[in-house]
Amino acid sequence: EEEEEEEEEDLKRAPLLSCATWTSNLHNTRERASESLGRRAKSMFVSGLRGGKTCKGTTGPLKKTTKALSLSCKPVVQGVRTSAARTPRVNRSSRQKISAGAVRNQTAMSVQLSQDELKKQAAWKAVEYVKSGMKVGLGTGSTAAFAVARIGELLANGTLTDIVGVPTSVATQEQAASLNIPLATLDEVPKLDVAIDGADEVDPELNVVKGRGGALLREKMVEMASDSFVCIVDDTKLVDGLGGSKLAMPVEIVQFCWKYNLERLQNLPEVAGSEAKLRMDGDSPYVTDNSNYIVDLYFENPIKDSYAAAKAISELEGVVDHGLFLDMVTTCIIAAPDGVVVKEK
């Protein structure tokens, strides 16, 4: 009895685990915990993490525990344990491993949520540039998606009216349509008031690299047709020079003789030092919304002259467009942990 009381006191002090984390960790440790649980695992009521959920199990031996925990979850008051709850007995070493796993999961979750929150802040700030009656270019990517969602929300509640959106990809078109945002193409609306889109890199002059999501051609067409281009990023996208992130700078090319154009890009003096790779989608080449391929250029050092590189790439027959968006951004909204910064061109 003393041992039981001691373990129950330990469990009261243990970190509260989310339903999903508890289930995963319990599955991994159930063999070690089986002797402790045995017939005592009659019922379980696992309290969630802060703002989490509680999952109510059913009676039965350990081999049914995982199945029981997969039953429907329902919200609970934050941080409350009920007196009727019976936490399954797990030996001390198993509890330590479960707790350590929970901490790692919580840390990874908080980092991801933090970056998403920064993107959302930048996107919402950008939507302040949208007024009723405007024709708006709708960007593509994880950051732009927050802006599209916000515009849909403001249209739904009546804050914005008479908006027409011009999407820059099939994915954005589908998202906007699901939010009942009225849509058009550049054929129907050749002049836009504002475009809102993210970027993969932003230099101090507000020149940007775009297109790692594969929509660079449509993005450039829509943003060139807009009176203003509001670029939204989190501070991880800031670089001293374009290409400085060492990640892809995309070039969209026709499928015809793609190896020929890849080799010409690789040997172009204006992008010397870069490595050209055909973008793949599994075992096949990645195909854009325009039925083209993409060659990604990877730089060890920032591009020496972005304007010269852009000109040289565009002059190659078979090149459709590239991800260097120069002198296009009019406003850049940068979300950082210490606040949102707005830079004007």
Side-chain angles (χ1 to χ4, degrees), residues 11 28 75 79 89-90 92 97-98 105 111 126 161 169 185 201 205 217 227 250 280 294 307:
L11 287 171
N28 294 334
R89 294 184 63 192
V90 183
R92 188 180 302 275
K97 291 178 181 178
I98 290 172
N105 288 342
V111 170
T161 58
S169 66
T185 68
E201 294 181 4
E205 302 302 318
L217 175 60
D227 289 338
M280 302 297 291
I294 287 180
Y307 293 90

Side-chain angles (χ1 to χ4, degrees), residues 114-120 122-123 142-143 198-202 231-239 332-337 339:
S114 175
Q115 187 173 16
D116 283 347
E117 184 58 34
L118 291 177
K119 293 178 180 181
K120 184 176 180 180
S142 59
T143 308
D200 301 308
E201 294 181 4
V202 181
C231 180
I232 47 178
V233 295
D234 63 78
D235 62 347
T236 64
K237 304 301 175 63
L238 303 181
V239 295
C332 188
I333 299 176
I334 305 160

Side-chain angles (χ1 to χ4, degrees), residues 43-74:
S43 65
M44 289 178 293
F45 194 85
V46 182
S47 293
L49 286 166
R50 184 176 183 181
K53 296 184 177 183
T54 291
C55 194
K56 191 172 183 180
T58 61
T59 61
L62 178 62
K63 63 183 180 181
K64 296 182 180 178
T65 300
T66 303
K67 181 178 179 180
L69 281 170
S70 68
L71 297 178
S72 61
C73 298
K74 54 188 178 182

